[in-house]
Structure formats: structure tokens, C-alpha cells
Amino acid sequence: MLKGKSALITGSTSGIGLGIARALAGQGCNIMLNGLGDAGKIETTRRGLETGFGVTARFHGADMTRPEEIAALVESTAAGFGGVDILVNCAGIQHTAPVEEFSPERWDAIIAVNLTSGFHTIHHALPYMRRGCWGRIINIASVHGLVASANKAAYVTAKHGLVGLTKVVALETAGSGITSNAICPGWTRTELIEPQIAARANTLGVDLEAGGRSMLAEKQPSQQFVTIEQLGQLALFLCSSGADQITGTAVPVDGGWTAQ
Ligand code: NAD
């Protein structure tokens, strides 16, 4: 069903975005990768999608803090693939500090990458979806789009905002063939949370594995990390016809974190 559709996934050079890119490519979607990182590694990833799944994969290095580069990313996707059918907003960064010690520069960067970039991608991609009377917008929010944790003022604010944006876009597109949903992962072992695992291990004087177990014990009742493959499967379902009437939702994938 997704064969030949085009998917733009911000923040897909690693972690959750790459997991979703692989899941979509596995169903025949052409992929626009985006993100930061080593050029050689990114090229290997891009080529791996093409050879592994027989799709066309491109890469655009737009910086998600720069609106004009985000516009160019969307236009480049549309020009290369003849439209933008699926948009996954996944780019994200983290910084932890108590609010009175939180630097304004870190605040601005987190709001720009984790929230405002999603406005810009949707703003530019939606006309292409409307033209095709079909579209899927999937915003990778977080459990922190639903509940808070200490020391994450900017991240929690951005993710709550992204859930709000998801709902507004769902209302504005209702009945048009376009849906807008948020996925809210709990702890997922990617580069984003490695500094938090290291800090926890350091505080406890234990190794990284024990540090990770301690973080799970505090928040995630399943005591298991979410995997990028599980998030890829949910994204696929949200892109299926079975999900035509699912819009405006924020779906937790969190081992019970937000049930507490
Ligand atoms: P990650 O660090 O592996 O991925 C982040 C991606 O964003 C990378 O591709 C990175 O290059 C990209 N990125 C960062 N700054 C960018 C910028 N200025 N311009 C363009 N791209 C940029 O981490 P991840 O865990 O896969 O994070 C992906 C998303 O999932 C984030 O939005 C994060 O908030 C969210 N999330 C992660 C977890 C978790 O436990 N890992 C939980 C909930 C939500």
C-alpha cells in the first residue's frame, strides 16, 4: 500500500528516525533522510536503504534550527519524489538542568529543534499532501509530551507543544485523507539518552547497564527499553488504511510509564 509513496523523516540519521525510515522503506516507500552526523556514515546509511529495500533514498542536511533550510528540505523532497506523502518529525535534542540553571541558549535550541521545526515542515509539506488528498503526519513527541520530569523544562515544554500542534493539524485536516498523530515513546535506547544513562551510572558508581536499569526502574514499569523497531511498526500502522480514522492522538509506547 505504501509502495512508491514518499516519506520525509527529520532526524533520521540515527535512532528512532532511522528505525522508522527502515520500516517505511521495507514497505516500498522512497525516503528522504535528514539529520546531522558524519557524512561517510550517512552515505552508508542512505545506500543501505537503497540496496536493502530497493527504494530510492536521498539525504538533505537541513539544520532544523533554520527555517529557510527546512523549507529547502521539503521542496527538495517534493522535487525529487513528486510530492510529500508522509512526514515524520523526529529531530530532537535534550539537555537536563534545573530551571534556574537552564541556559537560555539551550532553551532556544531545544524549542527550535523539538517544536518549531515541526511547524515549519508541516507548513511547507501540507499543500503537497492536500494536492494528493492523502497524507500522514507523525510527530515523534515523548512521554514528556504527556507528563513532566524534573530538570527537563525545555524538552517537556517542546514535547507538550508538539502534541498540541498535532491536534490542531488533525482538526484542520479532518476528512481530507490526511491524518496527524503523535507517538510518545518512553525510554528508548538511542544516542539521545546515553548521556543520561552515563550520568546515572556515574552517580550510582555502577556500569552503564546498571545505570540504564536504574532509569527504567524509576519510570518504566515494564523495566524494558522500547525499541526503534517497535516504533517503526507503529508508524507503519499509522500510515495504513486501518488508521484512516485515527487522527489527533498522542499514542504512548512507554511500558506503562504514563499509566502510573
Ligand atoms: P538520536 O540522537 O539518535 O536522534 C536524533 C536525530 O535528530 C538525529 O538524526 C540527529 O542528527 C537529529 N538532529 C539533532 N539536531 C538536529 C538539527 N539541528 N537539525 C537536524 N537534525 C538534527 O535520538 P532519538 O532518541 O532517536 O531521538 C529521536 C526523537 O525521539 C527525538 O525527537 C526525541 O526527543 C524523541 N524521543 C526519544 C526518546 C528516547 O528515549 N530515546 C524518548 C522519547 C522521545
Side-chain angles (χ1 to χ4, degrees):
M1 202 201 93
L2 298 180
K3 197 168 171 50
K5 291 210 183 290
S6 62
L8 162 55
I9 306 148
T10 73
S12 49
T13 50
S14 64
I16 294 169
L18 183 53
I20 292 174
R22 288 194 178 120
L24 290 169
Q27 295 302 310
C29 274
N30 295 317
I31 303 291
M32 176 61 91
L33 292 170
N34 159 261
L36 310 177
D38 175 75
K41 277 192 195 154
I42 293 172
E43 175 55 16
T44 303
T45 301
R46 188 199 65 74
R47 223 177 312 118
L49 288 173
E50 292 199 331
T51 53
F53 301 108
V55 300
T56 302
R58 298 175 195 267
F59 169 73
H60 192 291
D63 180 339
M64 289 297 116
T65 64
R66 297 178 180 272
E68 67 286 357
E69 292 187 22
I70 298 172
L73 166 66
V74 175
E75 295 315 321
S76 166
T77 308
F81 294 137
V84 183
D85 300 310
I86 297 166
L87 168 65
V88 182
N89 286 308
C90 191
I93 53 175
Q94 176 63 287
H95 176 68
T96 59
V99 70
E100 68 271 38
E101 291 166 23
F102 215 98
S103 91
E105 292 74 25
R106 296 276 200 170
W107 170 277
D108 286 345
I110 289 178
I111 299 298
V113 176
N114 295 19
L115 174 58
T116 309
S117 74
F119 159 72
H120 290 295
T121 54
I122 292 168
H123 174 79
H124 291 292
L126 209 40
Y128 291 106
M129 294 182 184
R130 287 201 192 276
R131 223 168 280 171
C133 299
W134 192 91
R136 292 291 189 260
I137 296 168
I138 300 174
N139 296 320
I140 306 305
S142 167
V143 285
H144 287 115
L146 304 171
V147 295
S149 293
N151 299 324
K152 294 186 175 173
Y155 190 84
V156 169
T157 302
K159 296 299 189 180
H160 274 68
L162 191 57
V163 170
L165 175 64
T166 302
K167 293 178 185 176
V168 171
V169 173
L171 295 180
E172 293 183 8
T173 56
S176 69
I178 299 164
T179 67
S180 166
N181 292 286
I183 293 178
C184 298
W187 291 129
T188 309
R189 192 131 191 204
T190 66
E191 286 170 29
L192 188 102
I193 68 162
E194 287 305 326
Q196 296 173 72
I197 294 176
R200 176 67 63 101
N202 194 34
T203 304
L204 298 177
V206 297
D207 64 16
L208 290 176
E209 290 317 302
R213 281 198 300 276
S214 163
M215 284 171 45
L216 290 170
E218 182 190 358
K219 298 278 192 185
Q220 200 145 300
S222 67
Q223 310 290 314
Q224 292 162 2
F225 285 103
V226 178
T227 68
I228 61 171
E229 289 78 15
Q230 289 160 353
L231 296 169
Q233 289 302 309
L234 176 55
L236 276 189
F237 175 68
L238 289 174
C239 290
S240 73
S241 57
D244 278 352
Q245 293 303 316
I246 299 178
T247 194
T249 69
V251 185
V253 185
D254 65 2
W257 180 325
T258 54
Q260 297 169 100

